[in-house]
Amino acid sequence: MSSLITKLNLQLMKFFATLLLPLLIVSCNDDKKSNTNACNSTESIDKVQWLEELKESMTDCSCERSIIQGTYQSQTVFFIALTDPLCNGIDTPTLYNCEGIEVRAFTTSQSDQEDLSENVARDTVLYQCKD
């Protein structure tokens, strides 16, 4: 009789283990970078997936470049800008909204450069890259 109870207990344990193990695996999913809205994040840019990817795209930093949070046409935008006072260059940033969707890409044309200098405010430096 006791061996029958032991077998039943083992079968029950196996049954519950096969049910609980997948739940534990799913619940332990790494959500460190699940935030995609940079405007709602209070964490570092490494916690917002598309901002971290933007940061990782900054590979040549012989002249200091920064990820900036700014304002364009009354909306919050994010972009990479040349911020090194010792480097002479023309900025042609691409502006992204809070979700990482492109809002505007600037070129070297005079009208774009005027629009950039007149209508894009640089509010906060989020990250600086300098080799």
Side-chain angles (χ1 to χ4, degrees):
M1 182 77 152
S2 69
S3 84
L4 179 63
I5 292 173
T6 306
K7 286 181 183 179
L8 284 174
N9 283 341
L10 285 173
Q11 286 179 340
L12 282 173
M13 288 174 55
K14 287 179 183 178
F15 174 74
F16 284 116
T18 56
L19 285 178
L20 293 177
L21 187 61
L23 289 174
L24 288 173
I25 292 171
V26 170
S27 67
C28 292
N29 189 9
D30 185 9
D31 284 334
K32 290 179 184 172
K33 295 178 185 155
S34 63
N35 188 5
T36 58
N37 189 317
C39 294
N40 295 337
S41 179
T42 57
E43 310 249 355
S44 74
I45 66 171
D46 295 327
K47 301 295 182 182
V48 180
Q49 184 173 359
W50 70 267
L51 275 177
E52 181 183 23
E53 290 168 3
L54 190 65
K55 175 184 167 184
E56 289 173 357
S57 75
M58 299 169 71
T59 56
D60 177 18
C61 297
S62 53
C63 287
E64 181 183 89
R65 299 178 339 156
S66 301
I67 296 178
I68 307 284
Q69 179 177 338
T71 309
Y72 177 70
Q73 295 180 343
S74 301
Q75 71 174 315
T76 300
V77 293
F78 300 83
F79 57 97
I80 296 175
L82 181 63
T83 53
D84 195 328
L86 301 177
C87 291
N88 188 15
I90 297 175
D91 247 348
T92 56
T94 299
L95 307 183
Y96 301 94
N97 68 11
C98 297
E99 288 79 30
I101 298 169
E102 184 178 315
V103 173
R104 168 81 196 271
F106 289 93
T107 67
T108 57
S109 75
Q110 184 176 348
S111 62
D112 269 12
Q113 291 301 305
E114 288 172 0
D115 189 25
L116 176 63
S117 65
E118 293 172 6
N119 297 311
V120 178
R122 296 180 179 201
D123 301 330
T124 307
V125 175
L126 301 177
Y127 173 76
Q128 292 178 315
C129 176
K130 175 90 173 157
D131 290 340

